[in-house]
Amino acid sequence: MPLPPVSVALPVHRASPLHLRCAFESITRQTHGDLEILLVLNGADAATIGLVESLAASDPRARVLHLPAAGLAAALNLALHEARHDLVARMDGDDDCPPVRLAHQADYLKTNPRIAALGTAWETLADGDKSLGVERPPTDPAEVRWRLCLGNCLCHGSVMVWRPTVLGAGGYDESLPYAQDYDLWLRLSRTAELANLPQALYRYRADPARRHEVQAKGAAAAMVRHWAALPPLADPALQQRLAGIVWEATWGGARARGAQAALERFLAQRGPSPQALLAYQWVAQRAGPTALSPEELQKLDRLREVGRRLRDAGVPAVWLYGAGKHTAWLMENRDALGLEVRGLADDTLAGDRHHGFTVVLPAQIPPSTHVLLSSDHHEERLWAASAALRRRGVTVWRLYTRGEVAVSSSAISPPGVSIGA
């Protein structure tokens, strides 16, 4: 079946001409061509208006909307009301995205209509397009729901939404100067589901001039409002279960880390409540140092999710393809994976001793076994190189992306690609 059409909302207030052209062209080059592009002049100056009108004239799918007074929430609400299609994607004027982004998101939402807003993993750029790394937010809707209570885990520019659902929730709050997106996600999460794709389908340019302090205050206010509206944990049996998890954490060490994982499952299964969220923050402190970066925490969350899903699929143990820095990190955090590691394979390090294993060539991995690709920056290359393994009946799993299988699989399906046995 064909993909549903998409409207793209691209508000422009002030933007670098180079970056704006890049953002616009990244949309015009999408593999999903059934689009309209809404360029919203958001209190723009004469130079920006001229540039936007010239860009719109270069593609018949583009329309220009005018908003005299600057206001991001008002600009986005205007785009939502004017959009001709029910799927509306966000795009910022100083960012860009790969050509497959909109096709992947539209495909996923076509088969998962209960998801009101769908973001993606994203790469952060700064200082002349220098990469600061890839942020990998939680993907499962149940996890996104409770993690939103502790902070924004959707990159606004990467999101695609169902227009009727967002308008039914009241759209963006135009009284808020900042954090309008986080406020909207929290309101949507009360009645709908939100998710992220694991692929890095968006490139976000960090601007040090942005007013992070005011943004943070707006996000904090939205969080407090949301917590005040959360239903309490009233069931005595669930209260007792929560107390048991907290008691485990009092012992510290491995028991506290196990309690943290148990509490994450509790929040995903039962939904957020003030008691469970407060317990989670206390247990997380007992479980270990809190100096991990947001990217590191997201990588650990992803490793736990993948390990759980592989176990649910009956996978008893895995080989790791890759013996570099990422594998060193994975071996240090193998408790989060929760699977036995049988050995390491690498194309260039075969024969070396790493992490208690003698590294072998990929061709030496036995048939009818399971392999997990172990690289955050070179997973695509490893996936291509694993073709010979898959032909021999080895099941290859991807940690960060779904690869060559359609992204429309449900949020509870295995997060990697399973080929072979």
Side-chain angles (χ1 to χ4, degrees):
M1 292 183 63
L3 295 177
V6 175
S7 297
V8 180
L10 202 168
V12 183
H13 174 55
R14 302 281 189 274
S16 155
L18 175 64
H19 290 161
L20 180 55
R21 288 184 186 278
C22 182
F24 182 76
E25 290 173 1
S26 74
I27 296 300
T28 62
R29 294 172 181 169
Q30 291 291 303
T31 58
H32 182 29
D34 193 358
L35 309 174
E36 70 162 347
I37 307 169
L38 301 175
L39 292 155
V40 187
L41 288 167
N42 179 24
D45 58 19
T48 304
I49 291 172
L51 174 58
V52 166
E53 290 179 341
S54 70
L55 291 174
S58 69
D59 194 302
R61 297 170 298 177
R63 283 197 288 147
V64 179
L65 305 177
H66 293 267
L67 191 71
L72 179 59
L76 293 174
N77 283 338
L78 176 62
L80 287 168
H81 285 286
E82 291 289 330
R84 294 171 179 152
H85 306 309
D86 283 343
L87 284 182
V88 177
R90 277 281 288 113
M91 186 71 207
D92 277 329
D94 49 1
D95 301 334
D96 61 77
C97 56
V100 295
R101 175 205 161 183
L102 298 183
H104 280 352
Q105 289 183 290
D107 188 29
Y108 182 96
L109 289 172
K110 177 184 69 174
T111 53
N112 295 274
R114 69 186 186 282
I115 305 297
L118 177 68
T120 75
W122 69 93
E123 182 181 13
T124 300
L125 307 176
D127 298 330
D129 287 357
K130 176 185 176 182
S131 176
L132 300 182
V134 174
E135 300 286 340
R136 300 192 183 275
T139 58
D140 185 79
E143 183 178 359
V144 170
R145 184 185 179 201
W146 72 263
R147 288 205 180 271
L148 274 172
C149 298
L150 303 175
N152 195 351
C153 53
L154 282 84
C155 176
H156 193 192
S158 77
V159 171
M160 183 180 288
V161 303
W162 284 109
R163 185 174 71 99
T165 306
V166 172
L167 289 177
Y172 291 88
D173 187 340
E174 298 181 20
S175 70
L176 301 177
Y178 292 95
Q180 307 98 331
D181 57 325
Y182 184 43
D183 170 78
L184 176 59
W185 311 148
L186 289 172
R187 284 187 282 117
L188 283 174
S189 72
R190 296 170 191 167
T191 56
E193 295 184 346
L194 298 88
N196 286 295
L197 294 180
Q199 295 96 327
L201 297 177
Y202 197 77
R203 300 209 311 166
Y204 164 76
R205 286 185 175 84
D207 180 1
R210 286 174 179 160
R211 299 173 65 184
H212 295 296
E213 182 177 352
V214 180
Q215 177 89 5
K217 288 180 178 178
M223 186 188 299
V224 169
R225 289 193 299 271
H226 186 68
W227 275 57
L230 287 174
L233 189 68
D235 186 330
L238 292 179
Q239 291 177 356
Q240 185 174 4
R241 182 178 165 192
L242 180 62
I245 296 173
V246 172
W247 175 80
E248 281 288 331
T250 62
W251 297 93
R255 290 179 71 168
R257 290 190 291 273
Q260 181 178 0
L263 192 45
E264 289 171 357
R265 293 192 294 271
F266 183 92
L267 281 159
Q269 293 166 0
R270 301 296 174 182
S273 64
Q275 298 99 313
L277 290 169
L278 285 169
Y280 179 78
Q281 294 178 84
W282 185 85
V283 167
Q285 285 187 321
R286 296 289 298 175
T290 58
L292 295 177
S293 69
E295 181 185 3
E296 185 77 3
L297 290 171
Q298 289 169 354
K299 283 178 64 177
L300 283 172
D301 289 340
R302 182 67 181 162
L303 189 62
R304 292 189 190 98
E305 179 186 351
V306 169
R308 173 175 58 81
R309 294 184 182 184
L310 265 66
R311 294 193 300 273
D312 290 347
V315 176
V318 293
W319 284 72
L320 299 182
Y321 187 174
K325 291 182 179 179
H326 186 274
T327 296
W329 168 83
L330 197 155
M331 294 298 290
E332 289 176 1
N333 295 282
R334 73 177 92 180
D335 287 347
L337 179 64
L339 288 169
E340 177 190 351
V341 175
R342 291 264 172 88
L344 308 181
D346 195 282
D347 298 284
T348 59
L349 299 176
D352 292 355
R353 190 77 178 168
H354 290 275
H355 313 296
F357 297 101
T358 298
V359 181
V360 303
L361 289 168
Q364 296 175 267
I365 296 176
S368 302
T369 54
H370 294 265
V371 168
L372 178 64
L373 302 184
S374 179
S375 175
D376 48 359
H377 296 299
H378 303 290
E379 190 175 84
E380 288 299 328
R381 182 181 63 77
L382 289 184
W383 171 252
S386 71
L389 286 173
R390 289 176 268 138
R391 285 194 294 269
R392 291 197 296 110
V394 175
T395 303
V396 179
W397 297 84
R398 303 180 67 153
L399 182 56
Y400 295 116
T401 60
R402 298 180 195 274
E404 297 170 3
V405 169
V407 200
S408 60
S409 52
S410 76
I412 60 171
S413 65
V417 175
S418 177
I419 306 289

